[in-house]
Structures are given as C-alpha cells and as structure tokens.
Amino acid sequence: NKAHASLSEILLKENSKLSTQKISKKTSIPITTVHNRIKRLEKEGIIKKYTIVLDNKKIGRPISAYILITVDYKLLKQIKKTQYYLIKKLKSLELVEEAAIVTGETDLITKVRVKDIEELDNFLTAYLRNVDGIERTKTLVILNEV
C-alpha cells in the first residue's frame, strides 16, 4: 500500500500534470484509489503545491550560483532584526531562486539565477554586500546542474 502511494508520489514529482488516469495506468492502481490518495496527500499537507520547472536559458537567466552568507549578529541585534528578517528579504528578490538558514560556518545560503556574470557581480557588490546584517559572502558559480 505504501509502495503504491510512493510510486504515485514519484510520478507526480516527475510530472505534476499527469492525470489520475495516466497514473492509474502506469501503476496498475485503480483510478479512484489514485484520486483518493492524491486528495488525502493534499489535505494532509504532504503535497503542498504543484509547480513548473523553467528552461532558464530560454528565459534569459542561464547562470546560477550559490551564495554563502555570514551574518553580522551584533549589527542585526542593534537594528532589532534577526536572520529570519534577512532570509525573508532575500526570498523576496527576483534573482533569488532559493534561500535558507543553515548550520555550520555559513549562516544563510541562497541560490540566484542571472543573465550574465555582470548581473551577478552587480547583485553581489551593489546590493547584497550593502544589506545591513550581512557581514560577508562567498559565491560559488554553478558549472553544471544535473
């Protein structure tokens, strides 16, 4: 039973546009069972949303990079802000695809998509390094995504 549910989830993860009929055919699970399981997963919050994957080259943002951010907690405390304030600010930016609070030597990590190295440089030097509470950044340009 769990194996069938997992198989349905895997198929949806690969292509969220699959109809219950197609999932039923691929998994040999009755269509009503597939439908009920999907509805249950949505209701329980396991399936949070359906999304798309963009071709970043075609939309003019072929370059992506991870930016590791070290937070200046002393300054944040002075301006009465937290790292949660910074992460929300980052997530609201158009170039930022992902942003997260992490453990280790780095406090925050963000993934950005840009049209060229000049736009990345401008984002880092003109914007990100001037945000109150960001002490330093380390940028890792992604060469190949699998």
Side-chain angles (χ1 to χ4, degrees):
N1 237 356
K2 280 194 174 193
H4 287 140
S6 295
L7 189 52
S8 299
E9 290 168 26
I10 290 167
L11 289 172
L12 278 174
K13 201 172 188 180
E14 288 175 4
N15 182 359
S16 65
K17 284 183 74 173
L18 277 179
S19 67
T20 51
Q21 185 178 15
K22 286 183 181 175
I23 293 171
S24 173
K25 191 174 181 180
K26 287 183 178 220
T27 61
S28 301
I29 302 169
I31 193 166
T32 52
T33 305
V34 170
H35 175 77
N36 291 336
R37 285 185 181 159
I38 291 170
K39 290 299 171 200
R40 188 188 81 235
L41 292 169
E42 290 171 343
K43 187 178 179 182
E44 292 175 1
I46 294 168
I47 295 177
K48 292 184 177 187
K49 65 180 179 176
Y50 296 91
T51 188
I52 59 172
V53 177
L54 300 173
D55 183 327
N56 292 298
K57 287 180 184 173
K58 288 183 180 176
I59 63 167
R61 294 221 169 126
I63 297 172
S64 54
Y66 288 105
I67 303 171
L68 311 179
I69 300 167
T70 304
V71 172
D72 183 341
Y73 289 104
K74 197 181 241 185
L75 178 60
L76 279 180
K77 193 172 182 178
Q78 287 173 1
I79 62 172
K80 297 183 174 148
K81 302 289 182 190
T82 66
Q83 64 189 16
Y84 295 98
Y85 160 79
L86 286 177
I87 206 76
K88 284 180 186 175
K89 190 171 187 170
L90 290 170
K91 283 186 174 184
S92 72
L93 301 173
E94 183 185 353
L95 298 179
V96 174
E97 192 172 88
E98 298 174 35
I101 297 170
V102 295
T103 60
E105 292 179 30
T106 298
D107 300 306
L108 309 173
I109 187 168
T110 186
K111 183 179 182 184
V112 296
R113 287 208 177 269
V114 293
K115 64 181 177 185
D116 53 29
I117 293 299
E118 185 179 343
E119 185 174 48
L120 177 61
D121 180 47
N122 189 45
F123 177 73
L124 287 165
T125 57
Y127 178 75
L128 201 60
R129 292 185 185 151
N130 292 313
V131 172
D132 287 340
I134 293 181
E135 186 176 310
R136 71 178 173 274
T137 63
K138 180 177 183 179
T139 305
L140 308 164
V141 175
I142 298 171
L143 299 176
N144 192 358
E145 291 185 87
V146 181

